[in-house]
Amino acid sequence: MLFAFYGELTGDAASKNRDTQYYQQQPYMVKGFWRHRTWCEGNERHENSFYITDIQTLG
């Protein structure tokens, strides 16, 4: 199964990969974790975030 989504490298991972060129048409394998949070500001809101901890090209 293939999924497409937007993700970001943060913290030290972003610093280490700052000069790396990533291409939109290139498939990548990523490792990371999901975080979900719910909060209320009058209405109940939800946030789903995926934090990338490792990224490698496929092929």
Side-chain angles (χ1 to χ4, degrees):
M1 188 176 290
L2 186 64
F3 292 97
F5 61 91
Y6 177 80
E8 288 189 24
L9 290 165
T10 59
D12 290 339
S15 295
K16 288 191 301 185
N17 292 287
R18 177 180 31 225
D19 298 325
T20 305
Q21 294 291 320
Y22 295 104
Y23 301 99
Q24 291 183 2
Q25 299 303 318
Q26 169 71 38
Y28 294 93
M29 178 175 62
V30 298
K31 292 179 183 177
F33 61 94
W34 288 104
R35 189 186 99 184
H36 171 82
R37 72 180 182 120
T38 303
W39 74 98
C40 290
E41 292 177 351
N43 295 326
E44 187 173 282
R45 297 176 183 256
H46 300 272
E47 175 186 44
N48 293 296
S49 300
F50 183 77
Y51 294 90
I52 297 169
T53 59
D54 187 30
I55 184 168
Q56 298 175 10
T57 60
L58 290 177

